[in-house]
Amino acid sequence: MDQAGLSAAVGSASSGAAAIDVKTMNVEQQAAYVSSLYPGRSLAADDIWRAIEREKYDMQHKGHEGKHLVMFLIFLCVLAMLPKTVRYWRQRHPGSYRLVSIGSICLIPPYFALGNRYFRFVSIWIGYALANTYILYLATREPLYQRTPRRVYQWFALTNKVSYAVFVAGIVLFALCFFNVAPGLTDTERMVESSLITVFYGLYFGLMSRDLVTLCSDKMAATLGYASSNGLPTKHLPRTVCCICGDGLGYGNTGIDTGGGLLHADAAPKQSTCAVEPTHNLDCGHEFHATCIRGWCVVGKKDTCPFCCEKVDLTPFKQSPWDRQELFYVTSLEYMRFFISWQPLTLLLLAGIFWVLGLD
């Protein structure tokens, strides 16, 4: 298309005829076409490129207004149904819900990170995944070693504290950037990006820890026989034993009633040699180590007694400002779950619906 043809096409387009195809133009013709759309303006190369991209988009979607309306209505319906559907799924089929949730959280971010060549995140994820694989191996063994529950809890308590510390560090760093405390340093794009990445790391790995500790705690409780699906315990709990970690409460034996050999033979009952730890009595009368029951409620998302499944009052864990801040962190993790897990799955569901209906 020469300059004369371009001028004629522009004139016909402005008079209501068919629009010209900007895809067939070379660079000079595109510049002349955009200049004709904005007479009297001096346009930079970036302005011309954006105008051409806009023209291509308009040409591609011209006459699709009705289709776009249908797609928008489907999107609203899916968003309206999503909370109730997820709630119903979680209540009626907790096993499959948990597997899909944990699987999406563990696999979706590293998939996109690998595709975008974020190798630092992928390396951290691989190391964290290997460590948790070993912890899952310990938690799912039968017979179960007596020290395994404590080791599993200590690992996830550590990862929760580290993730929380990273999250707080990211928030502080972002606040310094927001208020530009150190001009020339905190107002740089690299510093702002680093603060947001730090917040993401704290939330993401904290969310993974909470979901995995839930999986481990349920498996260990079933192996030990202290809990069942109907809420009734299947084995007697000695009053001198914390059923979360399997250790004594500071008096008597530390051993757990094997009740059929569910504990490893090397874990025979023995006298406690550990320092006495603070304990906490629940309203149901069962006693646990204070750190264990706190981790069960806060780290592991449990709000019931590990033994009898009675509702647990979280008020004692909200007394100090630090605990309230940590509960705020726990709430933030649930919002993070939506953006990491359910948002990509929702978009995938929408893409499938649009493909079936032919709404490209």
Side-chain angles (χ1 to χ4, degrees), residues 14-32:
S14 61
S15 62
I20 61 177
D21 188 2
V22 295
K23 297 180 180 179
T24 61
M25 301 180 184
N26 56 34
V27 177
E28 292 78 7
Q29 292 171 344
Q30 290 178 350

Side-chain angles (χ1 to χ4, degrees), residues 292-312:
C292 292
I293 193 61
R294 186 177 185 278
W296 179 268
C297 298
V298 178
V299 179
K301 301 185 300 182
K302 299 293 183 180
D303 58 354
T304 57
C305 173
F307 181 71
C308 64
C309 298
E310 184 173 325
K311 196 77 170 179
V312 174

Side-chain angles (χ1 to χ4, degrees), residues 21-96:
D21 188 2
V22 295
K23 297 180 180 179
T24 61
M25 301 180 184
N26 56 34
V27 177
E28 292 78 7
Q29 292 171 344
Q30 290 178 350
Y33 174 69
V34 174
S35 298
S36 67
L37 297 178
Y38 304 97
R41 292 181 56 181
S42 178
L43 300 176
D46 291 342
D47 298 329
I48 295 175
W49 178 82
R50 281 192 290 268
I52 291 297
E53 291 298 319
R54 180 64 183 177
E55 287 293 320
K56 292 178 180 179
Y57 179 84
D58 291 341
M59 291 176 57
Q60 181 180 0
H61 295 275
K62 185 176 181 181
H64 296 173
E65 290 79 6
K67 183 184 294 186
H68 292 168
L69 178 60
V70 174
M71 295 173 70
F72 179 71
L73 293 177
I74 293 176
F75 173 73
L76 291 182
C77 291
V78 170
L79 285 185
M81 296 173 57
L82 182 63
K84 294 183 178 180
T85 303
V86 171
R87 191 180 304 114
Y88 176 82
W89 184 14
R90 181 174 55 192
Q91 293 175 351
R92 300 300 297 269
H93 305 281
S96 60

Side-chain angles (χ1 to χ4, degrees), residues 101-102 105 206-215 301 337:
S101 179
I102 295 177
I105 290 171
L207 182 60
M208 280 188 63
S209 297
R210 294 186 69 232
D211 280 0
L212 291 175
V213 75
T214 301
L215 186 65
K301 301 185 300 182
R337 181 190 305 278

Side-chain angles (χ1 to χ4, degrees), residues 152-165:
V152 170
Y153 166 70
Q154 288 176 341
W155 164 252
F156 285 114
L158 174 63
T159 56
N160 180 72
K161 291 178 181 178
V162 172
S163 300
Y164 180 53

Side-chain angles (χ1 to χ4, degrees), residues 169-243:
I171 291 295
V172 172
L173 188 60
F174 181 79
L176 295 177
C177 296
F178 182 81
F179 293 104
N180 195 17
V181 176
L185 177 63
T186 56
D187 57 351
T188 61
E189 181 179 350
R190 183 178 182 85
M191 185 63 69
V192 175
E193 180 182 356
S194 299
S195 66
L196 295 178
I197 291 177
T198 304
V199 171
F200 171 78
Y201 280 5
L203 289 175
Y204 174 70
F205 289 105
L207 182 60
M208 280 188 63
S209 297
R210 294 186 69 232
D211 280 0
L212 291 175
V213 75
T214 301
L215 186 65
C216 290
S217 61
D218 289 347
K219 176 60 179 177
M220 289 188 298
T223 303
L224 291 171
Y226 286 145
S228 60
S229 59
N230 59 9
L232 296 177
T234 59
K235 188 166 55 174
H236 171 67
L237 174 68
R239 296 186 61 84
T240 59
V241 170
C242 171
C243 82

